[in-house]
Amino acid sequence: MTTPERKLVIALRPRFAEAILNGRKVWELRRQCPVQLHSGMTVLLYCEGKLLGEATCDRWDLSRSADDIAR
């Protein structure tokens, strides 16, 4: 029996969801990392009670703090 693939659900504010879906925003910064992440992981985009779509993550950058990246 195989283990089901873990997926990450990201809840987005409407303006950020729109920017991601139309290509103006290509990365998302989160201060906390709630799950174990791996390249190729499926990310589900959720906004205002709707599942907007899914993406496959190319890579994760966990080497720097959120504050460092934000600067």
Side-chain angles (χ1 to χ4, degrees):
M1 185 170 148
T2 60
T3 307
E5 176 190 356
R6 290 187 77 173
K7 296 180 180 184
L8 176 64
V9 177
I10 296 181
L12 299 165
R13 291 185 176 159
R15 66 184 175 131
F16 297 132
E18 182 180 327
I20 288 171
L21 293 174
N22 69 26
R24 286 193 330 257
K25 182 174 171 53
V26 295
W27 57 272
E28 176 69 13
L29 174 65
R30 296 288 163 137
R31 293 197 179 269
Q32 293 182 351
C33 179
V35 297
Q36 289 183 323
L37 307 172
H38 58 84
S39 293
M41 183 176 215
T42 300
V43 178
L44 303 174
L45 304 176
Y46 175 86
C47 180
E48 295 187 324
K50 297 180 194 172
L51 182 61
L52 301 177
E54 68 178 58
T56 302
C57 184
D58 181 43
R59 66 184 171 91
W60 305 95
D61 183 356
L62 303 175
S63 63
R64 297 179 288 171
S65 73
D67 290 332
D68 184 38
I69 293 169
R71 270 184 249 136

